[in-house]
Amino acid sequence: MAQPLKGREVHLKSRPKGEPTKDNFELVEAAVPEPTDGQVLVRNHFMSVDPYMRGRMNDAKSYVPPFKLGEVLDGGSVGQVVRSRSPDLKEGDFVVGGTGGWREYAVAPAKHYQKVDPSVGPLSAYLGVLGMPGMTAYVGLFDIGKPAAGETVFVSGAAGAVGGVVGELARIKGCRVVGSAGSDAKVKHLREQLKFDDAFNYKSGPVAESLAKAFPEGIDVFFDNVGGEHLEAALGLMKNHGRIVLCGAISQYNATAPTPGPRNLMLAVGKRLTLQGFIVSDHGNRRADFLRDMGGWLREGKVSDVSTVVDGLDKAPDAFIGMLRGDNTGKMLVRLVKDA
């Protein structure tokens, strides 16, 4: 009789207080169940670590339930079907899903996965530019920011998984794009690799001063991934009827006490601004359009597949902690299969 399959997975051992540490996580070996009718067994090749996961580590109500202590974490992953009990997916298919991460093997209903085409882009791209971060950029900029050719676009946290794609999409639309990043190397990446019109290191001085130099005539669209000082500074430079896309606030995710709001929020009234938050999972109806457009732009070289890859499931907590610190350029990924 064949030995039952075992795989490693990462559990939430304790809830972080402030910045997470490796002590909050535990690497566990567990038996992998056989798939039942309608399910598939997937061997993960890559898993994703994302800023939203930090909020799920708190025992607080949000748009998704918190992670449970002593249980495996979850998140995005891409891999290959090794066993199937579903007519919709066959063994050997490559798939991406949103809940099978933080483990080497995942068993789930086939409907929780989407088949992917490795000929369009590398498997890892389906967790980045062709995955949730790319679709976040696509929906947030086009459906909420609604940029027009000739307008000005500011992207905070522009060297991250979402921000870099936002900048490239805005350039496709004919906009002037400026991004902020946390190091001189990332600023160089934005200017030279992603072709931003300009970029600045927000750690080099007050954001408001850098923005005033970059946007002497004001900002039409602000895509915010950072919050805090960035949001307050941008409010002061928004043009009348400007749009602010509220995607994230990574500057506040590790806060242990409530953070102050922008002191100049009243400017939104006089300037008739639109400030709108969004969750990409609410926009599933846009997935086909996104894959068609982004796949084409990727083939044409108009958007880039940028990632920082850490090897080994045991290093997933380090990758997550590093992502929150800004150690990554582009998408932070964990490779689970050698040579994937």
Side-chain angles (χ1 to χ4, degrees):
M1 181 179 293
Q3 291 290 325
L5 183 63
K6 290 187 177 181
R8 298 181 302 165
E9 56 189 37
V10 179
H11 290 199
L12 183 64
K13 186 177 180 181
S14 59
R15 300 199 183 279
K17 296 179 180 176
E19 183 174 347
T21 70
K22 289 192 285 187
D23 291 338
N24 298 128
F25 304 89
E26 184 177 16
L27 185 65
V28 175
E29 186 176 68
V32 178
E34 285 289 327
T36 58
D37 287 346
Q39 291 186 326
V40 291
L41 167 63
V42 177
R43 185 187 185 194
N44 288 329
H45 287 211
F46 291 90
M47 58 158 276
S48 174
V49 291
D50 298 285
Y52 79 88
M53 295 174 177
R54 177 61 186 86
R56 294 191 65 191
M57 293 176 184
N58 299 329
D59 189 14
K61 185 177 180 181
S62 184
Y63 62 92
V64 284
F67 293 127
K68 295 182 180 179
L69 287 176
E71 294 188 11
V72 63
L73 298 160
D74 65 59
S77 61
V78 63
Q80 190 169 27
V81 176
V82 293
R83 293 176 197 160
S84 177
R85 296 283 302 275
S86 167
D88 299 323
L89 294 171
K90 65 180 186 296
E91 293 178 9
D93 284 345
F94 290 100
V95 294
V96 64
T99 61
W102 293 89
R103 68 201 85 185
E104 293 173 323
Y105 293 92
V107 174
K111 65 183 180 181
H112 289 181
Y113 287 99
Q114 291 87 39
K115 189 176 176 180
V116 299
D117 185 355
S119 70
V120 176
L123 281 183
S124 57
Y126 286 96
L127 294 176
V129 65
L130 295 177
M132 183 269 287
M135 187 163 168
T136 300
Y138 181 92
V139 169
L141 183 66
F142 292 158
D143 296 4
I144 299 172
K146 297 183 171 123
E151 289 191 320
T152 54
V153 177
F154 172 46
V155 187
S156 64
V162 174
V165 181
V166 171
E168 291 189 306
L169 296 182
R171 292 277 294 158
I172 289 171
K173 292 292 282 187
C175 299
R176 178 175 179 272
V177 187
V178 177
S180 70
S183 73
D184 291 341
K186 289 183 178 181
V187 167
K188 183 178 180 181
H189 166 72
L190 294 177
R191 289 173 174 164
E192 297 183 2
Q193 274 73 51
L194 301 189
K195 308 302 181 185
F196 277 57
D197 294 286
D198 201 358
F200 64 88
N201 183 346
Y202 65 82
K203 295 180 181 178
S204 297
V207 174
E209 293 181 8
S210 298
L211 270 186
K213 292 177 183 177
F215 292 103
E217 297 181 4
I219 302 168
D220 292 296
V221 179
F222 173 34
F223 195 107
D224 191 15
N225 299 298
V226 177
E229 183 186 2
H230 278 76
L231 179 56
E232 183 168 304
L235 279 166
L237 286 167
M238 295 299 296
K239 295 181 182 179
N240 288 346
H241 305 288
R243 289 83 69 199
I244 298 180
V245 183
L246 300 172
C247 181
I250 199 168
S251 67
Q252 302 172 13
Y253 289 166
N254 288 327
T256 56
T259 54
R263 294 168 297 180
N264 57 350
L265 189 58
M266 190 61 188
L267 289 174
V269 178
K271 295 185 177 189
R272 286 85 86 196
L273 303 180
T274 299
L275 292 80
Q276 182 175 340
F278 75 106
I279 304 298
V280 68
S281 57
D282 292 340
H283 299 268
N285 63 308
R286 295 283 274 142
R287 180 175 170 78
D289 294 335
F290 157 70
L291 288 173
R292 179 198 65 226
D293 293 342
M294 198 70 79
W297 291 326
L298 185 62
R299 285 191 296 270
E300 294 166 8
K302 293 181 178 179
V303 296
S304 308
D305 175 27
V306 182
S307 61
T308 299
V309 180
V310 173
D311 283 298
L313 184 64
D314 58 318
K315 300 297 184 184
D318 295 303
F320 176 71
I321 294 166
M323 176 271 304
L324 290 175
R325 282 198 305 249
D327 293 349
N328 56 302
T329 299
K331 183 77 188 80
M332 181 70 95
L333 297 171
V334 181
R335 180 164 37 210
L336 305 179
V337 173
K338 188 177 180 181
D339 301 324

PDB file of all heavy atoms in Angstrom, residues 117-146:
ATOM      1  N   ASP A 117      -2.598  29.403 -18.618  1.00  0.00           N
ATOM      2  CA  ASP A 117      -1.856  29.040 -19.819  1.00  0.00           C
ATOM      3  C   ASP A 117      -0.403  29.476 -19.673  1.00  0.00           C
ATOM      4  O   ASP A 117      -0.103  30.677 -19.762  1.00  0.00           O
ATOM      5  CB  ASP A 117      -2.496  29.703 -21.042  1.00  0.00           C
ATOM      6  CG  ASP A 117      -1.848  29.288 -22.346  1.00  0.00           C
ATOM      7  OD1 ASP A 117      -0.841  28.569 -22.303  1.00  0.00           O
ATOM      8  OD2 ASP A 117      -2.354  29.692 -23.404  1.00  0.00           O
ATOM      9  N   PRO A 118       0.530  28.539 -19.452  1.00  0.00           N
ATOM     10  CA  PRO A 118       1.937  28.932 -19.284  1.00  0.00           C
ATOM     11  C   PRO A 118       2.554  29.547 -20.529  1.00  0.00           C
ATOM     12  O   PRO A 118       3.631  30.142 -20.446  1.00  0.00           O
ATOM     13  CB  PRO A 118       2.630  27.601 -18.936  1.00  0.00           C
ATOM     14  CG  PRO A 118       1.543  26.670 -18.503  1.00  0.00           C
ATOM     15  CD  PRO A 118       0.334  27.094 -19.272  1.00  0.00           C
ATOM     16  N   SER A 119       1.880  29.443 -21.673  1.00  0.00           N
ATOM     17  CA  SER A 119       2.429  30.040 -22.892  1.00  0.00           C
ATOM     18  C   SER A 119       2.206  31.553 -22.935  1.00  0.00           C
ATOM     19  O   SER A 119       2.892  32.270 -23.670  1.00  0.00           O
ATOM     20  CB  SER A 119       1.807  29.395 -24.134  1.00  0.00           C
ATOM     21  OG  SER A 119       0.442  29.756 -24.267  1.00  0.00           O
ATOM     22  N   VAL A 120       1.242  32.052 -22.148  1.00  0.00           N
ATOM     23  CA  VAL A 120       0.974  33.495 -22.102  1.00  0.00           C
ATOM     24  C   VAL A 120       2.023  34.205 -21.245  1.00  0.00           C
ATOM     25  O   VAL A 120       2.476  35.310 -21.554  1.00  0.00           O
ATOM     26  CB  VAL A 120      -0.443  33.767 -21.573  1.00  0.00           C
ATOM     27  CG1 VAL A 120      -0.695  35.266 -21.424  1.00  0.00           C
ATOM     28  CG2 VAL A 120      -1.478  33.147 -22.501  1.00  0.00           C
ATOM     29  N   GLY A 121       2.398  33.574 -20.140  1.00  0.00           N
ATOM     30  CA  GLY A 121       3.392  34.127 -19.238  1.00  0.00           C
ATOM     31  C   GLY A 121       3.841  33.052 -18.283  1.00  0.00           C
ATOM     32  O   GLY A 121       3.198  32.003 -18.169  1.00  0.00           O
ATOM     33  N   PRO A 122       4.955  33.248 -17.587  1.00  0.00           N
ATOM     34  CA  PRO A 122       5.417  32.245 -16.626  1.00  0.00           C
ATOM     35  C   PRO A 122       4.392  32.022 -15.526  1.00  0.00           C
ATOM     36  O   PRO A 122       3.567  32.904 -15.241  1.00  0.00           O
ATOM     37  CB  PRO A 122       6.711  32.843 -16.080  1.00  0.00           C
ATOM     38  CG  PRO A 122       6.628  34.304 -16.380  1.00  0.00           C
ATOM     39  CD  PRO A 122       5.820  34.435 -17.633  1.00  0.00           C
ATOM     40  N   LEU A 123       4.432  30.832 -14.919  1.00  0.00           N
ATOM     41  CA  LEU A 123       3.462  30.517 -13.868  1.00  0.00           C
ATOM     42  C   LEU A 123       3.440  31.583 -12.786  1.00  0.00           C
ATOM     43  O   LEU A 123       2.371  31.965 -12.297  1.00  0.00           O
ATOM     44  CB  LEU A 123       3.780  29.163 -13.241  1.00  0.00           C
ATOM     45  CG  LEU A 123       3.367  27.904 -13.985  1.00  0.00           C
ATOM     46  CD1 LEU A 123       3.699  26.680 -13.149  1.00  0.00           C
ATOM     47  CD2 LEU A 123       1.877  27.933 -14.337  1.00  0.00           C
ATOM     48  N   SER A 124       4.607  32.077 -12.403  1.00  0.00           N
ATOM     49  CA  SER A 124       4.665  33.069 -11.333  1.00  0.00           C
ATOM     50  C   SER A 124       3.902  34.338 -11.684  1.00  0.00           C
ATOM     51  O   SER A 124       3.397  35.038 -10.797  1.00  0.00           O
ATOM     52  CB  SER A 124       6.119  33.403 -11.010  1.00  0.00           C
ATOM     53  OG  SER A 124       6.796  33.867 -12.172  1.00  0.00           O
ATOM     54  N   ALA A 125       3.778  34.645 -12.981  1.00  0.00           N
ATOM     55  CA  ALA A 125       3.075  35.865 -13.392  1.00  0.00           C
ATOM     56  C   ALA A 125       1.604  35.819 -13.023  1.00  0.00           C
ATOM     57  O   ALA A 125       0.963  36.869 -12.868  1.00  0.00           O
ATOM     58  CB  ALA A 125       3.224  36.085 -14.894  1.00  0.00           C
ATOM     59  N   TYR A 126       1.039  34.608 -12.851  1.00  0.00           N
ATOM     60  CA  TYR A 126      -0.373  34.489 -12.501  1.00  0.00           C
ATOM     61  C   TYR A 126      -0.644  34.822 -11.033  1.00  0.00           C
ATOM     62  O   TYR A 126      -1.796  34.838 -10.597  1.00  0.00           O
ATOM     63  CB  TYR A 126      -0.883  33.099 -12.853  1.00  0.00           C
ATOM     64  CG  TYR A 126      -1.064  32.919 -14.354  1.00  0.00           C
ATOM     65  CD1 TYR A 126      -0.075  32.343 -15.131  1.00  0.00           C
ATOM     66  CD2 TYR A 126      -2.208  33.379 -14.995  1.00  0.00           C
ATOM     67  CE1 TYR A 126      -0.225  32.207 -16.511  1.00  0.00           C
ATOM     68  CE2 TYR A 126      -2.371  33.251 -16.366  1.00  0.00           C
ATOM     69  CZ  TYR A 126      -1.374  32.664 -17.113  1.00  0.00           C
ATOM     70  OH  TYR A 126      -1.538  32.543 -18.478  1.00  0.00           O
ATOM     71  N   LEU A 127       0.423  35.102 -10.286  1.00  0.00           N
ATOM     72  CA  LEU A 127       0.266  35.661  -8.939  1.00  0.00           C
ATOM     73  C   LEU A 127       0.672  37.130  -8.910  1.00  0.00           C
ATOM     74  O   LEU A 127       0.618  37.767  -7.867  1.00  0.00           O
ATOM     75  CB  LEU A 127       1.123  34.871  -7.939  1.00  0.00           C
ATOM     76  CG  LEU A 127       0.704  33.419  -7.715  1.00  0.00           C
ATOM     77  CD1 LEU A 127       1.697  32.728  -6.781  1.00  0.00           C
ATOM     78  CD2 LEU A 127      -0.713  33.327  -7.147  1.00  0.00           C
ATOM     79  N   GLY A 128       1.067  37.664 -10.070  1.00  0.00           N
ATOM     80  CA  GLY A 128       1.513  39.046 -10.161  1.00  0.00           C
ATOM     81  C   GLY A 128       0.758  39.811 -11.216  1.00  0.00           C
ATOM     82  O   GLY A 128      -0.437  40.077 -11.091  1.00  0.00           O
ATOM     83  N   VAL A 129       1.434  40.118 -12.314  1.00  0.00           N
ATOM     84  CA  VAL A 129       0.840  40.969 -13.339  1.00  0.00           C
ATOM     85  C   VAL A 129      -0.396  40.335 -13.975  1.00  0.00           C
ATOM     86  O   VAL A 129      -1.332  41.044 -14.382  1.00  0.00           O
ATOM     87  CB  VAL A 129       1.901  41.320 -14.403  1.00  0.00           C
ATOM     88  CG1 VAL A 129       2.369  40.097 -15.159  1.00  0.00           C
ATOM     89  CG2 VAL A 129       1.392  42.388 -15.356  1.00  0.00           C
ATOM     90  N   LEU A 130      -0.458  38.996 -14.062  1.00  0.00           N
ATOM     91  CA  LEU A 130      -1.631  38.308 -14.609  1.00  0.00           C
ATOM     92  C   LEU A 130      -2.559  37.782 -13.514  1.00  0.00           C
ATOM     93  O   LEU A 130      -3.506  37.047 -13.812  1.00  0.00           O
ATOM     94  CB  LEU A 130      -1.190  37.143 -15.499  1.00  0.00           C
ATOM     95  CG  LEU A 130      -0.417  37.515 -16.762  1.00  0.00           C
ATOM     96  CD1 LEU A 130       0.029  36.253 -17.506  1.00  0.00           C
ATOM     97  CD2 LEU A 130      -1.249  38.406 -17.679  1.00  0.00           C
ATOM     98  N   GLY A 131      -2.288  38.168 -12.270  1.00  0.00           N
ATOM     99  CA  GLY A 131      -3.069  37.665 -11.149  1.00  0.00           C
ATOM    100  C   GLY A 131      -3.753  38.771 -10.375  1.00  0.00           C
ATOM    101  O   GLY A 131      -4.075  39.839 -10.913  1.00  0.00           O
ATOM    102  N   MET A 132      -3.962  38.519  -9.090  1.00  0.00           N
ATOM    103  CA  MET A 132      -4.699  39.458  -8.251  1.00  0.00           C
ATOM    104  C   MET A 132      -4.094  40.859  -8.218  1.00  0.00           C
ATOM    105  O   MET A 132      -4.824  41.852  -8.359  1.00  0.00           O
ATOM    106  CB  MET A 132      -4.830  38.885  -6.835  1.00  0.00           C
ATOM    107  CG  MET A 132      -5.637  39.737  -5.885  1.00  0.00           C
ATOM    108  SD  MET A 132      -4.623  40.928  -4.970  1.00  0.00           S
ATOM    109  CE  MET A 132      -3.766  39.848  -3.822  1.00  0.00           C
ATOM    110  N   PRO A 133      -2.769  41.010  -8.068  1.00  0.00           N
ATOM    111  CA  PRO A 133      -2.218  42.377  -8.077  1.00  0.00           C
ATOM    112  C   PRO A 133      -2.448  43.094  -9.404  1.00  0.00           C
ATOM    113  O   PRO A 133      -2.782  44.279  -9.424  1.00  0.00           O
ATOM    114  CB  PRO A 133      -0.731  42.153  -7.807  1.00  0.00           C
ATOM    115  CG  PRO A 133      -0.655  40.839  -7.105  1.00  0.00           C
ATOM    116  CD  PRO A 133      -1.736  40.003  -7.725  1.00  0.00           C
ATOM    117  N   GLY A 134      -2.264  42.369 -10.516  1.00  0.00           N
ATOM    118  CA  GLY A 134      -2.493  42.990 -11.817  1.00  0.00           C
ATOM    119  C   GLY A 134      -3.932  43.401 -12.005  1.00  0.00           C
ATOM    120  O   GLY A 134      -4.222  44.491 -12.527  1.00  0.00           O
ATOM    121  N   MET A 135      -4.854  42.543 -11.580  1.00  0.00           N
ATOM    122  CA  MET A 135      -6.274  42.885 -11.723  1.00  0.00           C
ATOM    123  C   MET A 135      -6.657  44.018 -10.773  1.00  0.00           C
ATOM    124  O   MET A 135      -7.514  44.848 -11.092  1.00  0.00           O
ATOM    125  CB  MET A 135      -7.137  41.654 -11.482  1.00  0.00           C
ATOM    126  CG  MET A 135      -8.606  41.904 -11.783  1.00  0.00           C
ATOM    127  SD  MET A 135      -9.537  40.379 -11.980  1.00  0.00           S
ATOM    128  CE  MET A 135     -11.212  41.009 -11.938  1.00  0.00           C
ATOM    129  N   THR A 136      -6.029  44.078  -9.610  1.00  0.00           N
ATOM    130  CA  THR A 136      -6.254  45.200  -8.697  1.00  0.00           C
ATOM    131  C   THR A 136      -5.859  46.513  -9.359  1.00  0.00           C
ATOM    132  O   THR A 136      -6.585  47.514  -9.283  1.00  0.00           O
ATOM    133  CB  THR A 136      -5.452  44.993  -7.402  1.00  0.00           C
ATOM    134  OG1 THR A 136      -5.879  43.783  -6.760  1.00  0.00           O
ATOM    135  CG2 THR A 136      -5.641  46.155  -6.449  1.00  0.00           C
ATOM    136  N   ALA A 137      -4.705  46.517 -10.014  1.00  0.00           N
ATOM    137  CA  ALA A 137      -4.255  47.713 -10.735  1.00  0.00           C
ATOM    138  C   ALA A 137      -5.215  48.062 -11.863  1.00  0.00           C
ATOM    139  O   ALA A 137      -5.590  49.230 -12.048  1.00  0.00           O
ATOM    140  CB  ALA A 137      -2.845  47.480 -11.278  1.00  0.00           C
ATOM    141  N   TYR A 138      -5.631  47.058 -12.609  1.00  0.00           N
ATOM    142  CA  TYR A 138      -6.494  47.243 -13.785  1.00  0.00           C
ATOM    143  C   TYR A 138      -7.852  47.824 -13.383  1.00  0.00           C
ATOM    144  O   TYR A 138      -8.296  48.840 -13.923  1.00  0.00           O
ATOM    145  CB  TYR A 138      -6.651  45.881 -14.447  1.00  0.00           C
ATOM    146  CG  TYR A 138      -7.481  45.819 -15.702  1.00  0.00           C
ATOM    147  CD1 TYR A 138      -6.892  45.961 -16.956  1.00  0.00           C
ATOM    148  CD2 TYR A 138      -8.846  45.541 -15.658  1.00  0.00           C
ATOM    149  CE1 TYR A 138      -7.639  45.853 -18.129  1.00  0.00           C
ATOM    150  CE2 TYR A 138      -9.611  45.429 -16.812  1.00  0.00           C
ATOM    151  CZ  TYR A 138      -9.006  45.591 -18.044  1.00  0.00           C
ATOM    152  OH  TYR A 138      -9.764  45.480 -19.186  1.00  0.00           O
ATOM    153  N   VAL A 139      -8.510  47.189 -12.417  1.00  0.00           N
ATOM    154  CA  VAL A 139      -9.838  47.641 -11.986  1.00  0.00           C
ATOM    155  C   VAL A 139      -9.743  48.984 -11.268  1.00  0.00           C
ATOM    156  O   VAL A 139     -10.539  49.901 -11.524  1.00  0.00           O
ATOM    157  CB  VAL A 139     -10.488  46.582 -11.074  1.00  0.00           C
ATOM    158  CG1 VAL A 139     -11.735  47.142 -10.394  1.00  0.00           C
ATOM    159  CG2 VAL A 139     -10.836  45.332 -11.869  1.00  0.00           C
ATOM    160  N   GLY A 140      -8.756  49.106 -10.376  1.00  0.00           N
ATOM    161  CA  GLY A 140      -8.645  50.341  -9.604  1.00  0.00           C
ATOM    162  C   GLY A 140      -8.374  51.549 -10.472  1.00  0.00           C
ATOM    163  O   GLY A 140      -9.000  52.604 -10.310  1.00  0.00           O
ATOM    164  N   LEU A 141      -7.451  51.412 -11.408  1.00  0.00           N
ATOM    165  CA  LEU A 141      -7.114  52.562 -12.249  1.00  0.00           C
ATOM    166  C   LEU A 141      -8.195  52.851 -13.272  1.00  0.00           C
ATOM    167  O   LEU A 141      -8.674  53.983 -13.391  1.00  0.00           O
ATOM    168  CB  LEU A 141      -5.774  52.324 -12.955  1.00  0.00           C
ATOM    169  CG  LEU A 141      -5.304  53.501 -13.810  1.00  0.00           C
ATOM    170  CD1 LEU A 141      -4.983  54.719 -12.944  1.00  0.00           C
ATOM    171  CD2 LEU A 141      -4.107  53.121 -14.670  1.00  0.00           C
ATOM    172  N   PHE A 142      -8.611  51.842 -14.034  1.00  0.00           N
ATOM    173  CA  PHE A 142      -9.522  52.087 -15.151  1.00  0.00           C
ATOM    174  C   PHE A 142     -10.961  52.316 -14.710  1.00  0.00           C
ATOM    175  O   PHE A 142     -11.634  53.191 -15.249  1.00  0.00           O
ATOM    176  CB  PHE A 142      -9.467  50.919 -16.130  1.00  0.00           C
ATOM    177  CG  PHE A 142      -8.154  50.788 -16.871  1.00  0.00           C
ATOM    178  CD1 PHE A 142      -7.776  49.579 -17.419  1.00  0.00           C
ATOM    179  CD2 PHE A 142      -7.302  51.870 -17.019  1.00  0.00           C
ATOM    180  CE1 PHE A 142      -6.582  49.447 -18.114  1.00  0.00           C
ATOM    181  CE2 PHE A 142      -6.101  51.756 -17.698  1.00  0.00           C
ATOM    182  CZ  PHE A 142      -5.737  50.542 -18.248  1.00  0.00           C
ATOM    183  N   ASP A 143     -11.449  51.549 -13.748  1.00  0.00           N
ATOM    184  CA  ASP A 143     -12.858  51.641 -13.369  1.00  0.00           C
ATOM    185  C   ASP A 143     -13.125  52.704 -12.314  1.00  0.00           C
ATOM    186  O   ASP A 143     -14.227  53.247 -12.241  1.00  0.00           O
ATOM    187  CB  ASP A 143     -13.364  50.289 -12.869  1.00  0.00           C
ATOM    188  CG  ASP A 143     -13.344  49.210 -13.951  1.00  0.00           C
ATOM    189  OD1 ASP A 143     -12.875  49.501 -15.064  1.00  0.00           O
ATOM    190  OD2 ASP A 143     -13.800  48.085 -13.680  1.00  0.00           O
ATOM    191  N   ILE A 144     -12.140  52.978 -11.474  1.00  0.00           N
ATOM    192  CA  ILE A 144     -12.335  53.948 -10.398  1.00  0.00           C
ATOM    193  C   ILE A 144     -11.568  55.241 -10.667  1.00  0.00           C
ATOM    194  O   ILE A 144     -12.105  56.339 -10.562  1.00  0.00           O
ATOM    195  CB  ILE A 144     -11.942  53.334  -9.040  1.00  0.00           C
ATOM    196  CG1 ILE A 144     -12.831  52.116  -8.761  1.00  0.00           C
ATOM    197  CG2 ILE A 144     -12.067  54.361  -7.920  1.00  0.00           C
ATOM    198  CD1 ILE A 144     -12.444  51.313  -7.558  1.00  0.00           C
ATOM    199  N   GLY A 145     -10.297  55.113 -11.044  1.00  0.00           N
ATOM    200  CA  GLY A 145      -9.509  56.312 -11.352  1.00  0.00           C
ATOM    201  C   GLY A 145      -9.917  56.976 -12.650  1.00  0.00           C
ATOM    202  O   GLY A 145      -9.859  58.191 -12.786  1.00  0.00           O
ATOM    203  N   LYS A 146     -10.314  56.184 -13.629  1.00  0.00           N
ATOM    204  CA  LYS A 146     -10.803  56.684 -14.928  1.00  0.00           C
ATOM    205  C   LYS A 146      -9.882  57.753 -15.525  1.00  0.00           C
ATOM    206  O   LYS A 146     -10.322  58.865 -15.842  1.00  0.00           O
ATOM    207  CB  LYS A 146     -12.214  57.231 -14.780  1.00  0.00           C
ATOM    208  CG  LYS A 146     -13.217  56.171 -14.358  1.00  0.00           C
ATOM    209  CD  LYS A 146     -14.626  56.745 -14.281  1.00  0.00           C
ATOM    210  CE  LYS A 146     -15.631  55.643 -14.069  1.00  0.00           C
ATOM    211  NZ  LYS A 146     -16.478  55.723 -12.941  1.00  0.00           N
TER     212      LYS A 146
END
